[in-house]
Coordinates of all heavy atoms in Angstrom, one line a residue:
M1 N -8.4 8.0 -3.6 CA -7.4 7.3 -4.3 C -7.5 7.6 -5.8 O -8.5 7.6 -6.4 CB -7.6 5.8 -4.1 CG -6.6 4.9 -4.9 SD -6.6 3.2 -4.4 CE -5.4 3.3 -3.1
T2 N -6.4 8.0 -6.3 CA -6.3 8.4 -7.8 C -6.1 7.2 -8.7 O -5.7 6.1 -8.2 CB -5.2 9.4 -8.0 OG1 -3.9 8.7 -7.8 CG2 -5.2 10.6 -7.1
D3 N -6.3 7.4 -10.0 CA -6.0 6.3 -10.9 C -4.5 5.9 -10.8 O -4.2 4.7 -11.0 CB -6.4 6.8 -12.3 CG -7.9 6.8 -12.5 OD1 -8.7 6.5 -11.7 OD2 -8.3 7.3 -13.7
E4 N -3.7 6.9 -10.6 CA -2.2 6.5 -10.5 C -1.9 5.7 -9.3 O -1.1 4.8 -9.3 CB -1.4 7.8 -10.4 CG 0.1 7.6 -10.7 CD 0.3 6.8 -12.0 OE1 -0.2 7.1 -13.1 OE2 1.2 5.9 -12.0
D5 N -2.7 5.9 -8.2 CA -2.5 5.1 -7.0 C -3.0 3.6 -7.3 O -2.4 2.7 -6.9 CB -3.4 5.6 -5.8 CG -2.9 7.0 -5.3 OD1 -1.7 7.3 -5.5 OD2 -3.7 7.8 -4.8
I6 N -4.1 3.5 -8.0 CA -4.6 2.2 -8.4 C -3.6 1.5 -9.2 O -3.3 0.3 -9.1 CB -6.0 2.3 -9.0 CG1 -7.0 2.9 -8.1 CG2 -6.5 1.0 -9.6 CD1 -8.3 3.3 -8.7
R7 N -3.1 2.2 -10.2 CA -2.1 1.7 -11.1 C -0.8 1.2 -10.4 O -0.3 0.1 -10.6 CB -1.7 2.7 -12.2 CG -1.0 2.2 -13.4 CD -0.8 3.1 -14.5 NE -1.5 4.4 -14.5 CZ -2.7 4.6 -15.1 NH1 -3.4 3.7 -15.5 NH2 -3.3 5.8 -15.0
A8 N -0.5 1.9 -9.3 CA 0.7 1.5 -8.5 C 0.5 0.2 -7.7 O 1.3 -0.6 -7.6 CB 1.0 2.6 -7.5
V9 N -0.8 0.1 -7.2 CA -1.2 -1.2 -6.5 C -1.2 -2.3 -7.6 O -0.7 -3.4 -7.3 CB -2.6 -1.0 -5.8 CG1 -3.0 -2.4 -5.3 CG2 -2.5 0.0 -4.7
L10 N -1.7 -2.1 -8.7 CA -1.7 -3.0 -9.8 C -0.3 -3.5 -10.1 O 0.0 -4.7 -10.3 CB -2.5 -2.5 -11.0 CG -2.7 -3.5 -12.2 CD1 -3.5 -4.7 -11.8 CD2 -3.5 -2.7 -13.3
R11 N 0.6 -2.5 -10.2 CA 2.0 -2.8 -10.5 C 2.6 -3.6 -9.4 O 3.3 -4.6 -9.7 CB 2.8 -1.5 -10.7 CG 4.3 -1.7 -10.9 CD 5.1 -0.4 -10.9 NE 4.7 0.5 -11.9 CZ 4.1 1.7 -11.8 NH1 3.8 2.1 -10.6 NH2 3.7 2.4 -12.9
D12 N 2.4 -3.3 -8.2 CA 2.9 -4.0 -7.0 C 2.4 -5.5 -7.0 O 3.2 -6.4 -6.9 CB 2.5 -3.4 -5.7 CG 3.2 -2.1 -5.4 OD1 4.2 -1.8 -6.1 OD2 2.7 -1.4 -4.5
E13 N 1.1 -5.7 -7.2 CA 0.5 -7.0 -7.1 C 0.9 -7.9 -8.3 O 1.2 -9.0 -8.2 CB -1.0 -6.9 -6.9 CG -1.4 -6.3 -5.6 CD -0.8 -7.0 -4.4 OE1 -0.5 -8.2 -4.4 OE2 -0.6 -6.3 -3.4
L14 N 1.0 -7.3 -9.5 CA 1.4 -8.0 -10.7 C 2.9 -8.4 -10.4 O 3.3 -9.5 -10.8 CB 1.2 -7.2 -11.9 CG 1.6 -7.9 -13.2 CD1 0.7 -9.2 -13.4 CD2 1.4 -7.0 -14.4
G15 N 3.7 -7.6 -9.8 CA 5.1 -7.8 -9.6 C 5.3 -9.0 -8.6 O 6.2 -9.7 -8.7
R16 N 4.3 -9.2 -7.7 CA 4.4 -10.3 -6.8 C 4.0 -11.6 -7.5 O 4.6 -12.7 -7.2 CB 3.4 -10.1 -5.6 CG 3.8 -9.0 -4.7 CD 2.7 -8.9 -3.6 NE 2.6 -7.5 -3.1 CZ 3.3 -7.0 -2.2 NH1 4.2 -7.7 -1.5 NH2 3.1 -5.7 -1.8
I17 N 3.1 -11.5 -8.4 CA 2.7 -12.8 -9.1 C 3.6 -13.2 -10.2 O 3.9 -14.3 -10.5 CB 1.2 -12.5 -9.6 CG1 0.2 -12.4 -8.4 CG2 0.8 -13.6 -10.6 CD1 -1.1 -11.8 -8.8
A18 N 4.0 -12.1 -11.0 CA 5.0 -12.4 -12.1 C 6.1 -11.4 -12.1 O 6.1 -10.4 -12.8 CB 4.2 -12.2 -13.4
P19 N 7.1 -11.6 -11.2 CA 8.2 -10.6 -11.0 C 9.0 -10.3 -12.2 O 9.7 -9.3 -12.3 CB 9.1 -11.3 -9.9 CG 8.6 -12.7 -9.7 CD 7.2 -12.8 -10.4
E20 N 8.9 -11.2 -13.2 CA 9.7 -11.0 -14.4 C 9.1 -9.9 -15.4 O 9.7 -9.5 -16.4 CB 9.9 -12.3 -15.2 CG 8.7 -12.9 -15.9 CD 7.7 -13.6 -14.9 OE1 7.9 -13.7 -13.7 OE2 6.7 -14.0 -15.4
I21 N 7.9 -9.5 -15.1 CA 7.1 -8.6 -16.0 C 7.6 -7.2 -15.8 O 7.9 -6.7 -14.6 CB 5.6 -8.6 -15.6 CG1 5.0 -10.0 -15.8 CG2 4.8 -7.6 -16.4 CD1 5.2 -10.6 -17.2
D22 N 7.8 -6.5 -16.9 CA 8.2 -5.1 -16.9 C 6.8 -4.3 -17.0 O 6.4 -4.1 -18.1 CB 9.1 -4.7 -18.1 CG 9.3 -3.2 -18.2 OD1 9.1 -2.5 -17.3 OD2 9.7 -2.8 -19.3
F23 N 6.3 -3.9 -15.9 CA 4.9 -3.3 -15.9 C 4.9 -2.1 -16.8 O 4.0 -1.9 -17.5 CB 4.5 -3.0 -14.5 CG 3.1 -2.4 -14.4 CD1 2.1 -3.3 -14.3 CD2 2.9 -1.1 -14.4 CE1 0.7 -2.8 -14.2 CE2 1.6 -0.6 -14.3 CZ 0.5 -1.4 -14.2
D24 N 6.0 -1.3 -16.7 CA 6.0 0.0 -17.5 C 6.1 -0.3 -19.0 O 5.7 0.6 -19.8 CB 7.1 0.9 -17.0 CG 6.9 1.4 -15.6 OD1 5.7 1.6 -15.2 OD2 7.9 1.4 -14.8
G25 N 6.5 -1.4 -19.4 CA 6.6 -1.8 -20.8 C 5.3 -2.4 -21.4 O 5.2 -2.6 -22.6
L26 N 4.3 -2.6 -20.5 CA 3.0 -3.1 -20.9 C 2.2 -2.0 -21.6 O 2.1 -0.9 -21.1 CB 2.3 -3.8 -19.7 CG 2.9 -4.9 -19.1 CD1 2.1 -5.4 -17.9 CD2 3.2 -6.1 -20.0
D27 N 1.4 -2.4 -22.6 CA 0.5 -1.5 -23.2 C -0.8 -1.5 -22.4 O -1.4 -2.6 -22.3 CB 0.2 -1.9 -24.7 CG -0.7 -1.0 -25.4 OD1 -1.6 -0.3 -24.8 OD2 -0.5 -0.9 -26.7
P28 N -1.2 -0.3 -21.9 CA -2.4 -0.3 -21.0 C -3.7 -0.7 -21.7 O -4.7 -1.0 -21.1 CB -2.5 1.0 -20.4 CG -1.6 1.9 -21.2 CD -0.6 0.9 -21.9
S29 N -3.7 -0.7 -23.0 CA -4.9 -1.0 -23.8 C -5.0 -2.4 -24.4 O -5.9 -2.8 -25.1 CB -5.2 0.0 -24.9 OG -4.1 0.0 -25.8
V30 N -3.9 -3.2 -24.1 CA -3.9 -4.6 -24.6 C -4.1 -5.6 -23.5 O -3.7 -5.3 -22.4 CB -2.5 -4.8 -25.3 CG1 -2.3 -6.3 -25.7 CG2 -2.3 -3.9 -26.5
D31 N -4.7 -6.7 -23.9 CA -5.0 -7.7 -22.9 C -3.9 -8.1 -22.0 O -2.8 -8.4 -22.4 CB -5.5 -9.0 -23.6 CG -6.1 -10.0 -22.6 OD1 -5.2 -10.7 -22.0 OD2 -7.3 -10.1 -22.5
L32 N -4.1 -7.8 -20.7 CA -3.0 -8.0 -19.7 C -2.5 -9.5 -19.6 O -1.4 -9.7 -19.5 CB -3.5 -7.6 -18.3 CG -2.6 -7.7 -17.1 CD1 -1.3 -6.9 -17.4 CD2 -3.2 -7.2 -15.9
R33 N -3.5 -10.4 -19.7 CA -3.1 -11.8 -19.6 C -2.3 -12.3 -20.7 O -1.3 -13.0 -20.5 CB -4.4 -12.7 -19.5 CG -5.1 -12.5 -18.2 CD -6.5 -13.2 -18.2 NE -6.3 -14.6 -18.3 CZ -7.4 -15.5 -18.3 NH1 -8.6 -15.0 -18.1 NH2 -7.2 -16.8 -18.4
E34 N -2.5 -11.8 -21.9 CA -1.6 -12.1 -23.0 C -0.3 -11.5 -22.9 O 0.7 -12.1 -23.2 CB -2.3 -11.7 -24.3 CG -3.5 -12.6 -24.6 CD -4.2 -12.2 -26.0 OE1 -3.5 -11.6 -26.8 OE2 -5.4 -12.5 -26.1
Q35 N -0.3 -10.2 -22.6 CA 1.0 -9.5 -22.5 C 2.0 -10.0 -21.4 O 3.1 -10.1 -21.6 CB 0.8 -8.0 -22.2 CG 0.2 -7.2 -23.3 CD 0.2 -5.7 -22.9 OE1 1.2 -5.0 -23.2 NE2 -0.8 -5.3 -22.2
A36 N 1.3 -10.3 -20.3 CA 2.2 -10.8 -19.1 C 2.2 -12.3 -19.0 O 2.8 -12.8 -18.1 CB 1.5 -10.2 -17.9
D37 N 1.6 -13.0 -20.0 CA 1.6 -14.4 -20.0 C 1.1 -15.0 -18.7 O 1.7 -15.9 -18.1 CB 3.0 -15.0 -20.4 CG 2.9 -16.4 -20.8 OD1 1.9 -16.9 -21.3 OD2 3.9 -17.1 -20.6
L38 N 0.0 -14.5 -18.3 CA -0.7 -15.0 -17.0 C -1.7 -16.1 -17.4 O -2.5 -16.0 -18.3 CB -1.5 -13.8 -16.3 CG -0.7 -12.6 -15.9 CD1 -1.6 -11.6 -15.4 CD2 0.4 -12.9 -14.9
D39 N -1.6 -17.1 -16.6 CA -2.7 -18.2 -16.7 C -3.9 -17.8 -15.9 O -3.8 -16.7 -15.2 CB -2.1 -19.6 -16.4 CG -1.7 -19.7 -14.9 OD1 -2.2 -18.9 -14.0 OD2 -0.9 -20.6 -14.6
S40 N -4.9 -18.6 -15.9 CA -6.1 -18.3 -15.2 C -5.9 -18.1 -13.7 O -6.5 -17.2 -13.1 CB -7.2 -19.4 -15.5 OG -7.5 -19.4 -16.8
M41 N -5.1 -19.0 -13.2 CA -4.9 -18.9 -11.7 C -4.1 -17.6 -11.3 O -4.4 -17.0 -10.3 CB -4.1 -20.1 -11.3 CG -4.0 -20.2 -9.7 SD -5.5 -20.1 -8.8 CE -6.1 -21.8 -9.0
D42 N -3.1 -17.3 -12.1 CA -2.4 -16.0 -11.9 C -3.3 -14.8 -11.9 O -3.2 -13.9 -11.1 CB -1.3 -15.8 -12.9 CG -0.1 -16.7 -12.8 OD1 0.1 -17.3 -11.7 OD2 0.6 -16.9 -13.8
F43 N -4.2 -14.8 -12.9 CA -5.1 -13.7 -13.1 C -6.1 -13.7 -11.9 O -6.4 -12.6 -11.3 CB -5.9 -13.8 -14.4 CG -6.7 -12.5 -14.7 CD1 -6.0 -11.4 -15.0 CD2 -8.0 -12.5 -14.8 CE1 -6.7 -10.2 -15.3 CE2 -8.8 -11.4 -15.1 CZ -8.1 -10.2 -15.3
L44 N -6.6 -14.8 -11.4 CA -7.5 -14.9 -10.3 C -6.7 -14.4 -9.1 O -7.3 -13.7 -8.2 CB -8.0 -16.3 -10.1 CG -9.0 -16.5 -8.9 CD1 -10.2 -15.7 -9.1 CD2 -9.3 -18.0 -8.9
N45 N -5.5 -14.8 -8.9 CA -4.7 -14.3 -7.8 C -4.5 -12.8 -7.8 O -4.6 -12.2 -6.7 CB -3.3 -15.0 -7.7 CG -3.4 -16.5 -7.3 OD1 -4.4 -16.9 -6.6 ND2 -2.4 -17.3 -7.7
L46 N -4.3 -12.3 -9.0 CA -4.2 -10.8 -9.1 C -5.5 -10.1 -8.7 O -5.5 -9.2 -7.9 CB -3.9 -10.5 -10.5 CG -3.8 -8.9 -10.8 CD1 -2.7 -8.3 -10.0 CD2 -3.5 -8.7 -12.3
L47 N -6.7 -10.6 -9.1 CA -8.0 -10.0 -8.8 C -8.2 -10.1 -7.3 O -8.7 -9.2 -6.6 CB -9.1 -10.7 -9.6 CG -9.1 -10.6 -11.1 CD1 -10.3 -11.3 -11.7 CD2 -9.0 -9.1 -11.5
T48 N -7.8 -11.3 -6.7 CA -8.0 -11.5 -5.2 C -7.1 -10.5 -4.5 O -7.5 -9.8 -3.5 CB -7.6 -12.9 -4.9 OG1 -8.5 -13.8 -5.5 CG2 -7.7 -13.1 -3.3
A49 N -5.9 -10.3 -4.9 CA -5.0 -9.3 -4.3 C -5.5 -7.9 -4.4 O -5.4 -7.1 -3.4 CB -3.5 -9.4 -4.9
L50 N -6.0 -7.6 -5.6 CA -6.6 -6.2 -5.7 C -7.8 -6.0 -4.8 O -7.9 -5.0 -4.2 CB -7.0 -6.0 -7.2 CG -5.8 -5.9 -8.2 CD1 -6.4 -5.9 -9.6 CD2 -4.9 -4.8 -7.9
H51 N -8.6 -7.0 -4.7 CA -9.7 -7.0 -3.7 C -9.3 -6.7 -2.3 O -9.8 -5.9 -1.6 CB -10.6 -8.3 -3.8 CG -11.5 -8.5 -2.7 ND1 -12.6 -7.7 -2.5 CD2 -11.4 -9.3 -1.6 CE1 -13.2 -8.1 -1.4 NE2 -12.5 -9.0 -0.8
Q52 N -8.3 -7.5 -1.9 CA -7.8 -7.4 -0.5 C -7.1 -6.0 -0.3 O -7.3 -5.4 0.8 CB -6.8 -8.5 -0.2 CG -7.5 -9.9 -0.1 CD -6.5 -11.0 0.0 OE1 -5.3 -10.9 -0.2 NE2 -7.0 -12.2 0.4
R53 N -6.4 -5.6 -1.2 CA -5.6 -4.3 -1.0 C -6.5 -3.0 -1.1 O -6.3 -2.0 -0.4 CB -4.5 -4.1 -1.9 CG -3.3 -5.0 -1.6 CD -2.0 -4.5 -1.7 NE -1.6 -3.2 -1.7 CZ -0.5 -2.7 -2.4 NH1 0.2 -3.6 -3.1 NH2 -0.2 -1.4 -2.4
L54 N -7.5 -3.1 -2.0 CA -8.3 -2.0 -2.4 C -9.7 -2.0 -1.8 O -10.5 -1.0 -1.9 CB -8.3 -1.7 -3.9 CG -6.9 -1.5 -4.5 CD1 -7.0 -1.5 -6.0 CD2 -6.3 -0.2 -3.9
G55 N -10.1 -3.2 -1.3 CA -11.5 -3.3 -0.8 C -12.6 -3.2 -1.8 O -13.7 -2.8 -1.5
V56 N -12.2 -3.6 -3.1 CA -13.2 -3.6 -4.2 C -13.7 -5.0 -4.4 O -12.8 -5.9 -4.7 CB -12.6 -2.9 -5.4 CG1 -13.6 -3.0 -6.6 CG2 -12.3 -1.5 -5.1
D57 N -15.0 -5.2 -4.4 CA -15.5 -6.6 -4.8 C -15.3 -6.7 -6.3 O -15.8 -5.8 -7.1 CB -16.9 -6.7 -4.4 CG -17.1 -6.9 -2.9 OD1 -16.1 -7.5 -2.2 OD2 -18.1 -6.5 -2.3
I58 N -14.8 -7.8 -6.7 CA -14.6 -8.1 -8.2 C -15.2 -9.5 -8.4 O -14.5 -10.5 -8.2 CB -13.2 -8.1 -8.6 CG1 -12.5 -6.7 -8.2 CG2 -13.1 -8.3 -10.1 CD1 -11.0 -6.7 -8.4
P59 N -16.5 -9.6 -8.7 CA -17.1 -10.9 -8.9 C -16.5 -11.6 -10.1 O -16.1 -10.9 -11.1 CB -18.6 -10.6 -9.3 CG -18.8 -9.2 -8.8 CD -17.5 -8.5 -8.8
E60 N -16.3 -12.9 -10.0 CA -15.7 -13.7 -11.1 C -16.4 -13.4 -12.4 O -15.8 -13.4 -13.5 CB -15.7 -15.1 -10.7 CG -14.9 -16.0 -11.7 CD -14.8 -17.4 -11.3 OE1 -14.9 -17.7 -10.1 OE2 -14.6 -18.3 -12.2
S61 N -17.7 -13.2 -12.4 CA -18.5 -12.9 -13.6 C -18.1 -11.6 -14.3 O -18.4 -11.4 -15.4 CB -20.0 -12.9 -13.3 OG -20.3 -11.8 -12.4
E62 N -17.4 -10.7 -13.5 CA -16.9 -9.4 -14.1 C -15.4 -9.4 -14.3 O -14.9 -8.3 -14.7 CB -17.4 -8.3 -13.1 CG -18.9 -8.2 -13.1 CD -19.4 -6.9 -12.5 OE1 -18.5 -6.0 -12.0 OE2 -20.6 -6.7 -12.4
A63 N -14.8 -10.5 -14.2 CA -13.3 -10.5 -14.4 C -12.9 -10.0 -15.7 O -11.8 -9.3 -15.8 CB -12.8 -11.9 -14.1
A64 N -13.7 -10.3 -16.7 CA -13.3 -9.9 -18.1 C -13.3 -8.4 -18.2 O -12.6 -7.8 -19.1 CB -14.3 -10.5 -19.1
K65 N -14.0 -7.7 -17.3 CA -14.0 -6.2 -17.4 C -12.7 -5.6 -17.0 O -12.5 -4.4 -17.1 CB -15.1 -5.7 -16.5 CG -16.5 -6.0 -17.1 CD -17.6 -5.4 -16.2 CE -18.9 -5.8 -16.7 NZ -20.0 -5.2 -15.9
L66 N -11.7 -6.4 -16.5 CA -10.5 -6.0 -16.0 C -9.4 -6.6 -16.9 O -8.2 -6.8 -16.5 CB -10.2 -6.4 -14.6 CG -11.0 -5.7 -13.5 CD1 -12.4 -6.3 -13.3 CD2 -10.3 -5.6 -12.2
A67 N -9.7 -6.8 -18.2 CA -8.8 -7.4 -19.1 C -7.5 -6.7 -19.4 O -6.5 -7.2 -19.7 CB -9.5 -7.8 -20.4
T68 N -7.6 -5.3 -19.4 CA -6.5 -4.5 -19.7 C -6.2 -3.7 -18.5 O -7.0 -3.5 -17.6 CB -6.8 -3.6 -20.9 OG1 -7.8 -2.6 -20.5 CG2 -7.2 -4.3 -22.1
I69 N -5.0 -3.1 -18.5 CA -4.6 -2.2 -17.3 C -5.6 -1.1 -17.2 O -6.0 -0.7 -16.2 CB -3.1 -1.7 -17.5 CG1 -2.2 -3.0 -17.3 CG2 -2.8 -0.7 -16.5 CD1 -0.8 -2.6 -17.7
A70 N -5.8 -0.4 -18.4 CA -6.7 0.7 -18.4 C -8.1 0.4 -17.9 O -8.7 1.1 -17.1 CB -6.8 1.3 -19.8
A71 N -8.6 -0.8 -18.4 CA -10.0 -1.2 -18.0 C -10.0 -1.6 -16.5 O -10.9 -1.2 -15.8 CB -10.4 -2.4 -18.8
A72 N -8.9 -2.2 -16.0 CA -8.8 -2.5 -14.5 C -8.8 -1.2 -13.7 O -9.5 -1.2 -12.7 CB -7.6 -3.3 -14.3
V73 N -8.1 -0.3 -14.1 CA -8.0 1.0 -13.4 C -9.4 1.7 -13.3 O -9.9 2.1 -12.3 CB -6.9 1.9 -13.9 CG1 -7.1 3.3 -13.3 CG2 -5.5 1.3 -13.7
A74 N -10.1 1.7 -14.5 CA -11.4 2.3 -14.6 C -12.4 1.6 -13.7 O -13.2 2.2 -13.1 CB -11.8 2.4 -16.1
Y75 N -12.3 0.2 -13.8 CA -13.3 -0.6 -13.0 C -13.1 -0.3 -11.6 O -14.1 -0.1 -10.9 CB -13.1 -2.1 -13.4 CG -14.0 -3.0 -12.7 CD1 -15.2 -3.4 -13.3 CD2 -13.7 -3.4 -11.4 CE1 -16.1 -4.3 -12.6 CE2 -14.6 -4.3 -10.7 CZ -15.8 -4.7 -11.3 OH -16.6 -5.5 -10.6
I76 N -11.9 -0.4 -11.1 CA -11.6 -0.2 -9.7 C -12.0 1.2 -9.2 O -12.6 1.4 -8.2 CB -10.2 -0.6 -9.3 CG1 -10.0 -2.1 -9.5 CG2 -9.8 -0.2 -7.9 CD1 -8.5 -2.5 -9.6
S77 N -11.6 2.1 -10.0 CA -11.8 3.6 -9.7 C -13.3 3.8 -9.6 O -13.8 4.5 -8.7 CB -11.3 4.5 -10.8 OG -11.5 5.8 -10.5
S78 N -14.2 3.2 -10.4 CA -15.6 3.4 -10.4 C -16.3 2.7 -9.2 O -17.4 3.1 -8.8 CB -16.3 3.0 -11.7 OG -16.3 1.5 -11.7
R79 N -15.6 1.7 -8.6 CA -16.2 1.0 -7.5 C -15.5 1.2 -6.1 O -15.9 0.7 -5.1 CB -16.2 -0.5 -7.8 CG -17.2 -0.8 -8.9 CD -17.0 -2.1 -9.5 NE -18.0 -2.4 -10.5 CZ -18.1 -1.9 -11.7 NH1 -17.3 -1.0 -12.1 NH2 -19.1 -2.2 -12.6
R80 N -14.4 2.0 -6.2 CA -13.6 2.2 -5.0 C -14.4 3.1 -4.0 O -15.0 4.1 -4.4 CB -12.3 2.9 -5.3 CG -11.5 3.3 -4.2 CD -10.5 2.2 -3.9 NE -9.6 2.6 -2.9 CZ -9.6 2.3 -1.6 NH1 -10.5 1.5 -1.2 NH2 -8.8 2.8 -0.8
K81 N -14.5 2.7 -2.8 CA -15.2 3.4 -1.7 C -14.1 4.1 -0.8 O -13.1 3.5 -0.5 CB -16.1 2.5 -0.9 CG -17.2 2.0 -1.8 CD -18.1 1.1 -0.9 CE -19.2 0.6 -1.7 NZ -19.1 -0.8 -2.2
G82 N -14.4 5.3 -0.4 CA -13.6 5.9 0.6 C -12.5 6.7 -0.1 O -12.3 6.7 -1.3
P83 N -11.6 7.4 0.8 CA -10.6 8.3 0.3 C -9.4 7.5 -0.4 O -9.2 6.4 -0.1 CB -10.1 9.1 1.5 CG -10.6 8.3 2.7 CD -11.8 7.4 2.2

């Protein structure tokens, strides 16, 4: 799975949680929760959805490591198992 594939899953799942968000208009290096106006529950739902779709464990203690789109892609890419 490429970084672009991970970004596409992130786009899909964020679209389910916050359909009004223009994913392509988000700055990948700026805090996602602030840009997308996500509350804690929305962000937790996003992490849960990413875990379910990509099979990557994301402990709550490491949630801050996925604060930006770029960081989330890097985190998932480094922990993704399989093709």
Side-chain angles (χ1 to χ4, degrees):
M1 177 169 270
T2 68
D3 287 357
E4 196 55 43
D5 294 333
I6 295 168
R7 200 174 339 277
V9 170
L10 185 57
R11 177 186 296 114
D12 289 347
E13 295 305 330
L14 185 59
R16 292 177 210 272
I17 293 166
E20 71 281 359
I21 300 303
D22 173 19
F23 185 86
D24 294 325
L26 299 175
D27 184 329
S29 63
V30 174
D31 188 280
L32 180 59
R33 289 172 63 175
E34 289 182 22
Q35 289 187 91
D37 196 27
L38 300 177
D39 63 23
S40 296
M41 186 55 78
D42 288 337
F43 192 67
L44 180 60
N45 287 338
L46 177 61
L47 297 182
T48 300
L50 293 173
H51 163 73
Q52 290 174 344
R53 285 219 24 211
L54 300 172
V56 174
D57 288 327
I58 306 170
E60 191 173 333
S61 62
E62 295 193 357
K65 294 181 180 179
L66 288 84
T68 68
I69 293 170
V73 170
Y75 181 95
I76 292 166
S77 180
S78 71
R79 286 160 179 79
R80 179 90 171 104
K81 296 182 176 102

